[in-house]
Amino acid sequence: MFETIRYDVKDGIAWLYLNRPDKLNAFIAQMNREVKDAIKAATFDEQVRCIVISGEGRAFCSGQDLAEVDKNMDHGQVLRDYYGPMIKQIRQCEKPIVAAVNGVAAGAGFSLALACDFRIVSERASFLNAFIHVGLIPDSGNLYYLTKLVGHAKALELSILGEKVSATDAVALGLANKLIPLDLWDEEVSAFAANLSTLPTKAIGLIKRSLKFTTELTFEDYLEQEAQGQRIAGLTIDHREGIHAFMEKRKPVFSGQ
């Protein structure tokens, strides 16, 4: 089904691996399309309650494959045709998406990680806003997300100086949620995703939707959207299960419905 990524669904988790390890999982147009299609498939698959994006080999994603760039390329049109649709598909997904950053995430690979809901990193992971080194600006939603995570001043610094951010520093800056030792990588990534897959999926989607509204609406309009979202959450099976579990003094078993 896919040639540049590996996609598998198991136990409620969709695993999406960028699969061009000999090129440090650098993007080509086909990979952009396949990531978009896989996220769309996971979004509409009722069995999927969490999505994990990672990279095969020693890198997460090194950004655009520069071998595909020529002097006649319209970089803006490339963004409109390939990167924009991929990032929009990720943003539209209301299921939790985890970037399991196993190695370098540079350029558009950094942007891909930023677009996810969580970033968990291995000890050998790093982030690099590499665009400045080829005379370009951060793209694929990079500054939109980066500024929200680290603030204007730090986003400017990372983008203009183009210095590498280590896994440890990424956690300290708020770029990453969790640092995982190499020897525990597979085990802890699986446990992190498994925990997300047991949470009330519809409530997670409504939380993600509400967070978008915080920057798009006035406060009064936000409160109305909040009320509408809470009404929807209150009608879910998982809400009823949560109430019953609380009354029965047991751990809830959420179905994602």
Side-chain angles (χ1 to χ4, degrees), residues 186-234:
D186 290 338
E187 177 185 343
E188 292 208 20
V189 170
S190 295
F192 192 92
N195 179 55
L196 285 172
S197 73
T198 65
L199 299 176
T201 312
K202 293 187 182 301
I204 290 174
L206 290 165
I207 290 170
K208 291 178 65 170
R209 192 184 306 177
S210 292
L211 282 168
K212 293 178 192 176
F213 287 141
T214 62
T215 58
E216 297 172 359
L217 301 176
T218 66
F219 183 63
E220 289 74 14
D221 289 340
Y222 172 78
L223 289 179
E224 176 55 30
Q225 289 294 332
E226 178 185 77
Q228 293 181 26
Q230 195 70 300
R231 176 183 177 277
I232 295 169

Side-chain angles (χ1 to χ4, degrees), residues 99-139:
V101 184
N102 55 304
V104 63
F110 187 13
S111 305
L112 174 63
L114 290 171
C116 296
D117 302 308
F118 300 93
R119 282 154 299 282
I120 54 179
V121 294
S122 80
E123 291 174 313
R124 66 184 177 194
S126 62
F127 296 100
L128 178 66
N129 244 356
F131 302 93
I132 194 70
H133 300 304
V134 290
L136 294 176
I137 68 170
D139 61 31

Side-chain angles (χ1 to χ4, degrees), residues 17 23 28 33 43 47 58 83-84 117 122 142 149 176 181 215 240 242 245:
Y17 286 89
K23 300 293 185 179
I28 56 175
R33 289 194 299 266
T43 298
Q47 301 304 311
R58 60 191 178 93
Y83 286 95
D117 302 308
S122 80
N142 186 290
L149 288 170
T215 58
R240 293 201 298 271

Side-chain angles (χ1 to χ4, degrees), residues 58-130:
R58 60 191 178 93
F60 178 74
C61 176
S62 59
Q64 169 67 33
D65 189 336
L66 296 182
E68 300 289 309
V69 176
D70 64 64
K71 64 180 181 180
N72 297 316
M73 177 179 283
D74 182 336
H75 292 283
Q77 199 57 46
V78 170
L79 292 179
R80 295 184 190 101
D81 291 343
Y82 302 112
Y83 286 95
M86 177 186 72
I87 295 298
K88 287 177 184 176
Q89 190 68 61
I90 292 172
R91 181 170 170 78
Q92 290 165 7
C93 179
E94 294 196 340
K95 295 176 180 178
I97 304 178
V98 180
V101 184
N102 55 304
V104 63
F110 187 13
S111 305
L112 174 63
L114 290 171
C116 296
D117 302 308
F118 300 93
R119 282 154 299 282
I120 54 179
V121 294
S122 80
E123 291 174 313
R124 66 184 177 194
S126 62
F127 296 100
L128 178 66
N129 244 356

Side-chain angles (χ1 to χ4, degrees), residues 156-189:
L156 191 69
E157 176 189 325
L158 295 177
S159 302
I160 292 179
L161 299 184
E163 296 175 344
K164 184 180 291 187
V165 179
S166 70
T168 302
D169 288 343
V171 174
L173 284 172
L175 281 175
N177 303 92
K178 184 176 184 180
L179 175 61
I180 298 176
L182 284 175
D183 59 339
L184 298 175
W185 176 249
D186 290 338
E187 177 185 343
E188 292 208 20
V189 170

